[in-house]
Amino acid sequence: MTETTYKSVVVWSKPEAERAGTPLLVLFHGYLSNEQDLMGLVPGLPEEFTVAAVRAPVALGPGFSWFPLMHEPDFSVDKVTGAVADVWSWLDSVKDQHSSVSVLGFSMGMAVATSVMRHRPDEIAAVVGLSGFVIPADGDAFFQDEAVKSLKPAVFWGRDQADQVITPDKIEFTHAWLNENVNLTKVLYSGIGHGINAQELAHVKEFLTYKVLNAK
């Protein structure tokens, strides 16, 4: 993998003049994809949100990666936390103009979204994870999991049991971790494989409306 400098390449759903005071939803794409990949979801999301899609820092093949795949020899939790720390550096530059911050990740992007929440859980309103997984942190202090467990943040996890991309060990760990630490909304879909369909997107819209827009 060729390391590149994180440049905070971001695409936005609204022009800068229309973002102030809106809830922010940050999108994290999957392995070998890019920041444009999930922007097609925007028409199906609550219009009140400003949506920002962030590019992963490592140029690889046809796209970008957040960190090495977990079975690769150069994978480390430090590479995950490095990528997430860079995301937080960018978030700190924009979050104060928004009423809240939520995160959505697809595949590897779910690992990023949940890690963003686990680092500073009191600052994330809700998490959406699609066809993805949670990183085993091995007690790394970057992950404030005791605070997560105390706060029980709202997390939506959607997947197809026939998804062949996310390995069973990752699913098993993710299921156990989410059940123990968060307020979990878990929905299983059929026929979407490693993807997203209209039904799931409608459920995500309902989740964000209820957990963020209508939160008391």
Side-chain angles (χ1 to χ4, degrees), residues 70 110-111 114-115 118 132-137 170 173-175 177-178:
M70 288 177 63
M110 178 180 170
T114 51
S115 296
R118 291 165 72 186
F133 59 97
V134 172
I135 290 290
K170 293 187 185 71
F173 175 83
T174 299
H175 189 262
W177 190 90
L178 291 173

Side-chain angles (χ1 to χ4, degrees), residues 144-155:
Q144 301 295 312
D145 286 351
E146 287 303 313
V148 174
K149 192 170 184 177
S150 175
L151 290 166
K152 293 284 186 183
V155 177

Side-chain angles (χ1 to χ4, degrees), residues 1 3 14 28 33 45 55-56 61 65 83-85 87 91 93 101-102 113 115 119 137 161 168-169 183 188:
M1 289 189 171
E3 297 289 339
K14 299 180 190 294
F28 301 103
S33 190
L45 296 169
R55 178 189 293 178
S65 178
V84 172
V87 168
L91 264 176
S93 72
V101 178
S102 300
S115 296
H119 183 50
Q161 286 183 298
D169 59 312
N183 178 8
L188 295 174

Side-chain angles (χ1 to χ4, degrees), residues 4 12 16-17 29 36-39 42-43 46 53 77 79 84 100 109 113 115 121 125 132 147 162 204:
T4 58
W12 295 85
E16 189 170 359
H29 64 76
Q36 295 288 345
D37 183 54
L38 297 177
M39 289 301 289
V42 171
V77 173
K79 291 189 176 180
V84 172
S100 65
S115 296
V204 170

Side-chain angles (χ1 to χ4, degrees), residues 60-181:
L60 184 67
F64 300 86
S65 178
W66 296 97
F67 47 83
L69 296 175
M70 288 177 63
H71 66 268
E72 294 178 338
D74 55 342
F75 172 82
S76 68
V77 173
D78 284 347
K79 291 189 176 180
V80 178
T81 60
V84 172
D86 283 345
V87 168
W88 266 112
S89 293
W90 167 75
L91 264 176
D92 281 335
S93 72
V94 299
K95 65 181 176 62
D96 289 346
Q97 67 177 303
H98 295 280
S99 57
S100 65
V101 178
S102 300
V103 290
L104 180 155
F106 174 76
S107 194
M108 181 184 275
M110 178 180 170
V112 177
T114 51
S115 296
V116 165
M117 178 271 293
R118 291 165 72 186
H119 183 50
R120 284 157 62 174
D122 58 323
E123 299 186 48
I124 300 298
V127 179
V128 176
L130 307 177
S131 302
F133 59 97
V134 172
I135 290 290
D138 300 324
D140 191 296
F142 185 86
F143 296 87
Q144 301 295 312
D145 286 351
E146 287 303 313
V148 174
K149 192 170 184 177
S150 175
L151 290 166
K152 293 284 186 183
V155 177
F156 178 97
W157 183 29
R159 57 179 294 266
D160 185 343
Q161 286 183 298
D163 184 345
Q164 299 296 310
V165 174
I166 308 303
T167 54
D169 59 312
K170 293 187 185 71
I171 295 300
E172 182 179 356
F173 175 83
T174 299
H175 189 262
W177 190 90
L178 291 173
N179 275 328
E180 182 178 352
N181 292 285

